[in-house]
mmCIF file with all atom_site columns, all heavy atoms in Angstrom:
data_model
loop_
_atom_site.group_PDB
_atom_site.id
_atom_site.type_symbol
_atom_site.label_atom_id
_atom_site.label_alt_id
_atom_site.label_comp_id
_atom_site.label_asym_id
_atom_site.label_entity_id
_atom_site.label_seq_id
_atom_site.pdbx_PDB_ins_code
_atom_site.Cartn_x
_atom_site.Cartn_y
_atom_site.Cartn_z
_atom_site.occupancy
_atom_site.B_iso_or_equiv
_atom_site.pdbx_formal_charge
_atom_site.auth_seq_id
_atom_site.auth_comp_id
_atom_site.auth_asym_id
_atom_site.auth_atom_id
_atom_site.pdbx_PDB_model_num
ATOM 1   N N   . VAL P 1 89  ? -8.917  -13.693 13.638 1.00 0.00 ? 299 VAL P N   1
ATOM 2   C CA  . VAL P 1 89  ? -10.133 -14.513 13.683 1.00 0.00 ? 299 VAL P CA  1
ATOM 3   C C   . VAL P 1 89  ? -9.895  -15.689 12.814 1.00 0.00 ? 299 VAL P C   1
ATOM 4   O O   . VAL P 1 89  ? -10.825 -16.449 12.484 1.00 0.00 ? 299 VAL P O   1
ATOM 5   C CB  . VAL P 1 89  ? -11.398 -13.810 13.288 1.00 0.00 ? 299 VAL P CB  1
ATOM 6   C CG1 . VAL P 1 89  ? -11.720 -12.707 14.265 1.00 0.00 ? 299 VAL P CG1 1
ATOM 7   C CG2 . VAL P 1 89  ? -11.246 -13.174 11.881 1.00 0.00 ? 299 VAL P CG2 1
ATOM 8   N N   . ILE P 1 90  ? -8.575  -15.943 12.336 1.00 0.00 ? 300 ILE P N   1
ATOM 9   C CA  . ILE P 1 90  ? -8.407  -17.127 11.344 1.00 0.00 ? 300 ILE P CA  1
ATOM 10  C C   . ILE P 1 90  ? -8.693  -18.398 11.986 1.00 0.00 ? 300 ILE P C   1
ATOM 11  O O   . ILE P 1 90  ? -9.048  -19.294 11.222 1.00 0.00 ? 300 ILE P O   1
ATOM 12  C CB  . ILE P 1 90  ? -6.851  -17.034 10.951 1.00 0.00 ? 300 ILE P CB  1
ATOM 13  C CG1 . ILE P 1 90  ? -6.622  -17.762 9.683  1.00 0.00 ? 300 ILE P CG1 1
ATOM 14  C CG2 . ILE P 1 90  ? -6.008  -17.436 12.100 1.00 0.00 ? 300 ILE P CG2 1
ATOM 15  C CD1 . ILE P 1 90  ? -7.243  -17.219 8.476  1.00 0.00 ? 300 ILE P CD1 1
ATOM 16  N N   . ALA P 1 91  ? -8.674  -18.574 13.269 1.00 0.00 ? 301 ALA P N   1
ATOM 17  C CA  . ALA P 1 91  ? -8.915  -19.855 13.852 1.00 0.00 ? 301 ALA P CA  1
ATOM 18  C C   . ALA P 1 91  ? -10.361 -20.043 14.278 1.00 0.00 ? 301 ALA P C   1
ATOM 19  O O   . ALA P 1 91  ? -10.788 -21.203 14.691 1.00 0.00 ? 301 ALA P O   1
ATOM 20  C CB  . ALA P 1 91  ? -8.039  -20.065 15.151 1.00 0.00 ? 301 ALA P CB  1
ATOM 21  N N   . ALA P 1 92  ? -11.178 -19.012 14.036 1.00 0.00 ? 302 ALA P N   1
ATOM 22  C CA  . ALA P 1 92  ? -12.581 -19.052 14.278 1.00 0.00 ? 302 ALA P CA  1
ATOM 23  C C   . ALA P 1 92  ? -13.296 -19.725 13.135 1.00 0.00 ? 302 ALA P C   1
ATOM 24  O O   . ALA P 1 92  ? -12.738 -20.033 12.151 1.00 0.00 ? 302 ALA P O   1
ATOM 25  C CB  . ALA P 1 92  ? -13.130 -17.656 14.493 1.00 0.00 ? 302 ALA P CB  1
ATOM 26  N N   . PRO P 1 93  ? -14.575 -20.159 13.419 1.00 0.00 ? 303 PRO P N   1
ATOM 27  C CA  . PRO P 1 93  ? -15.443 -20.832 12.351 1.00 0.00 ? 303 PRO P CA  1
ATOM 28  C C   . PRO P 1 93  ? -15.402 -20.031 11.109 1.00 0.00 ? 303 PRO P C   1
ATOM 29  O O   . PRO P 1 93  ? -15.259 -18.732 11.131 1.00 0.00 ? 303 PRO P O   1
ATOM 30  C CB  . PRO P 1 93  ? -16.718 -21.012 13.000 1.00 0.00 ? 303 PRO P CB  1
ATOM 31  C CG  . PRO P 1 93  ? -16.551 -20.978 14.349 1.00 0.00 ? 303 PRO P CG  1
ATOM 32  C CD  . PRO P 1 93  ? -15.374 -20.237 14.643 1.00 0.00 ? 303 PRO P CD  1
ATOM 33  N N   . VAL P 1 94  ? -15.607 -20.655 9.947  1.00 0.00 ? 304 VAL P N   1
ATOM 34  C CA  . VAL P 1 94  ? -15.525 -19.951 8.580  1.00 0.00 ? 304 VAL P CA  1
ATOM 35  C C   . VAL P 1 94  ? -16.559 -18.837 8.583  1.00 0.00 ? 304 VAL P C   1
ATOM 36  O O   . VAL P 1 94  ? -16.246 -17.765 7.970  1.00 0.00 ? 304 VAL P O   1
ATOM 37  C CB  . VAL P 1 94  ? -15.834 -20.961 7.500  1.00 0.00 ? 304 VAL P CB  1
ATOM 38  C CG1 . VAL P 1 94  ? -16.013 -20.330 6.134  1.00 0.00 ? 304 VAL P CG1 1
ATOM 39  C CG2 . VAL P 1 94  ? -14.813 -22.033 7.394  1.00 0.00 ? 304 VAL P CG2 1
ATOM 40  N N   . LEU P 1 95  ? -17.638 -18.983 9.254  1.00 0.00 ? 305 LEU P N   1
ATOM 41  C CA  . LEU P 1 95  ? -18.655 -17.909 9.237  1.00 0.00 ? 305 LEU P CA  1
ATOM 42  C C   . LEU P 1 95  ? -18.098 -16.575 9.761  1.00 0.00 ? 305 LEU P C   1
ATOM 43  O O   . LEU P 1 95  ? -18.559 -15.557 9.300  1.00 0.00 ? 305 LEU P O   1
ATOM 44  C CB  . LEU P 1 95  ? -19.876 -18.406 10.115 1.00 0.00 ? 305 LEU P CB  1
ATOM 45  C CG  . LEU P 1 95  ? -21.043 -17.374 10.182 1.00 0.00 ? 305 LEU P CG  1
ATOM 46  C CD1 . LEU P 1 95  ? -21.692 -17.131 8.722  1.00 0.00 ? 305 LEU P CD1 1
ATOM 47  C CD2 . LEU P 1 95  ? -22.202 -17.813 11.164 1.00 0.00 ? 305 LEU P CD2 1
ATOM 48  N N   . ILE P 1 96  ? -17.266 -16.605 10.774 1.00 0.00 ? 306 ILE P N   1
ATOM 49  C CA  . ILE P 1 96  ? -16.767 -15.417 11.284 1.00 0.00 ? 306 ILE P CA  1
ATOM 50  C C   . ILE P 1 96  ? -15.799 -14.702 10.340 1.00 0.00 ? 306 ILE P C   1
ATOM 51  O O   . ILE P 1 96  ? -15.964 -13.428 10.187 1.00 0.00 ? 306 ILE P O   1
ATOM 52  C CB  . ILE P 1 96  ? -15.863 -15.687 12.626 1.00 0.00 ? 306 ILE P CB  1
ATOM 53  C CG1 . ILE P 1 96  ? -16.809 -16.505 13.646 1.00 0.00 ? 306 ILE P CG1 1
ATOM 54  C CG2 . ILE P 1 96  ? -15.351 -14.456 13.196 1.00 0.00 ? 306 ILE P CG2 1
ATOM 55  C CD1 . ILE P 1 96  ? -18.022 -15.645 14.109 1.00 0.00 ? 306 ILE P CD1 1
ATOM 56  N N   . THR P 1 97  ? -14.962 -15.444 9.622  1.00 0.00 ? 307 THR P N   1
ATOM 57  C CA  . THR P 1 97  ? -14.150 -14.759 8.667  1.00 0.00 ? 307 THR P CA  1
ATOM 58  C C   . THR P 1 97  ? -14.935 -14.245 7.490  1.00 0.00 ? 307 THR P C   1
ATOM 59  O O   . THR P 1 97  ? -14.651 -13.238 6.856  1.00 0.00 ? 307 THR P O   1
ATOM 60  C CB  . THR P 1 97  ? -12.984 -15.759 8.157  1.00 0.00 ? 307 THR P CB  1
ATOM 61  O OG1 . THR P 1 97  ? -13.663 -16.908 7.644  1.00 0.00 ? 307 THR P OG1 1
ATOM 62  C CG2 . THR P 1 97  ? -12.067 -16.135 9.297  1.00 0.00 ? 307 THR P CG2 1
ATOM 63  N N   . LEU P 1 98  ? -16.055 -14.975 7.203  1.00 0.00 ? 308 LEU P N   1
ATOM 64  C CA  . LEU P 1 98  ? -16.906 -14.514 6.164  1.00 0.00 ? 308 LEU P CA  1
ATOM 65  C C   . LEU P 1 98  ? -17.628 -13.201 6.430  1.00 0.00 ? 308 LEU P C   1
ATOM 66  O O   . LEU P 1 98  ? -17.630 -12.252 5.644  1.00 0.00 ? 308 LEU P O   1
ATOM 67  C CB  . LEU P 1 98  ? -17.982 -15.703 5.908  1.00 0.00 ? 308 LEU P CB  1
ATOM 68  C CG  . LEU P 1 98  ? -18.949 -15.448 4.750  1.00 0.00 ? 308 LEU P CG  1
ATOM 69  C CD1 . LEU P 1 98  ? -18.280 -15.633 3.385  1.00 0.00 ? 308 LEU P CD1 1
ATOM 70  C CD2 . LEU P 1 98  ? -20.213 -16.337 4.853  1.00 0.00 ? 308 LEU P CD2 1
ATOM 71  N N   . VAL P 1 99  ? -18.088 -13.105 7.806  1.00 0.00 ? 309 VAL P N   1
ATOM 72  C CA  . VAL P 1 99  ? -18.721 -11.929 8.132  1.00 0.00 ? 309 VAL P CA  1
ATOM 73  C C   . VAL P 1 99  ? -17.675 -10.639 8.164  1.00 0.00 ? 309 VAL P C   1
ATOM 74  O O   . VAL P 1 99  ? -17.978 -9.618  7.750  1.00 0.00 ? 309 VAL P O   1
ATOM 75  C CB  . VAL P 1 99  ? -19.360 -12.054 9.568  1.00 0.00 ? 309 VAL P CB  1
ATOM 76  C CG1 . VAL P 1 99  ? -19.726 -10.752 10.106 1.00 0.00 ? 309 VAL P CG1 1
ATOM 77  C CG2 . VAL P 1 99  ? -20.514 -13.061 9.409  1.00 0.00 ? 309 VAL P CG2 1
ATOM 78  N N   . LEU P 1 100 ? -16.495 -11.035 8.622  1.00 0.00 ? 310 LEU P N   1
ATOM 79  C CA  . LEU P 1 100 ? -15.397 -9.937  8.713  1.00 0.00 ? 310 LEU P CA  1
ATOM 80  C C   . LEU P 1 100 ? -15.064 -9.399  7.252  1.00 0.00 ? 310 LEU P C   1
ATOM 81  O O   . LEU P 1 100 ? -15.176 -8.153  7.039  1.00 0.00 ? 310 LEU P O   1
ATOM 82  C CB  . LEU P 1 100 ? -14.134 -10.481 9.285  1.00 0.00 ? 310 LEU P CB  1
ATOM 83  C CG  . LEU P 1 100 ? -12.915 -9.607  9.318  1.00 0.00 ? 310 LEU P CG  1
ATOM 84  C CD1 . LEU P 1 100 ? -13.256 -8.307  9.981  1.00 0.00 ? 310 LEU P CD1 1
ATOM 85  C CD2 . LEU P 1 100 ? -11.720 -10.311 9.860  1.00 0.00 ? 310 LEU P CD2 1
ATOM 86  N N   . THR P 1 101 ? -14.849 -10.294 6.276  1.00 0.00 ? 311 THR P N   1
ATOM 87  C CA  . THR P 1 101 ? -14.547 -9.824  4.971  1.00 0.00 ? 311 THR P CA  1
ATOM 88  C C   . THR P 1 101 ? -15.720 -9.162  4.285  1.00 0.00 ? 311 THR P C   1
ATOM 89  O O   . THR P 1 101 ? -15.540 -8.265  3.494  1.00 0.00 ? 311 THR P O   1
ATOM 90  C CB  . THR P 1 101 ? -13.957 -10.980 4.101  1.00 0.00 ? 311 THR P CB  1
ATOM 91  O OG1 . THR P 1 101 ? -14.933 -12.006 4.051  1.00 0.00 ? 311 THR P OG1 1
ATOM 92  C CG2 . THR P 1 101 ? -12.619 -11.552 4.675  1.00 0.00 ? 311 THR P CG2 1
ATOM 93  N N   . PHE P 1 102 ? -17.002 -9.664  4.626  1.00 0.00 ? 312 PHE P N   1
ATOM 94  C CA  . PHE P 1 102 ? -18.119 -9.049  4.144  1.00 0.00 ? 312 PHE P CA  1
ATOM 95  C C   . PHE P 1 102 ? -18.247 -7.563  4.626  1.00 0.00 ? 312 PHE P C   1
ATOM 96  O O   . PHE P 1 102 ? -18.570 -6.695  3.816  1.00 0.00 ? 312 PHE P O   1
ATOM 97  C CB  . PHE P 1 102 ? -19.337 -9.858  4.528  1.00 0.00 ? 312 PHE P CB  1
ATOM 98  C CG  . PHE P 1 102 ? -20.759 -9.277  4.029  1.00 0.00 ? 312 PHE P CG  1
ATOM 99  C CD1 . PHE P 1 102 ? -20.892 -9.173  2.563  1.00 0.00 ? 312 PHE P CD1 1
ATOM 100 C CD2 . PHE P 1 102 ? -21.639 -8.873  4.905  1.00 0.00 ? 312 PHE P CD2 1
ATOM 101 C CE1 . PHE P 1 102 ? -22.143 -8.693  2.215  1.00 0.00 ? 312 PHE P CE1 1
ATOM 102 C CE2 . PHE P 1 102 ? -22.829 -8.225  4.471  1.00 0.00 ? 312 PHE P CE2 1
ATOM 103 C CZ  . PHE P 1 102 ? -23.043 -8.135  3.139  1.00 0.00 ? 312 PHE P CZ  1
#
Side-chain angles (χ1 to χ4, degrees):
V299 297
I300 196 70
V304 174
L305 180 62
I306 302 301
T307 56
L308 185 75
V309 171
L310 173 61
T311 57
F312 180 64

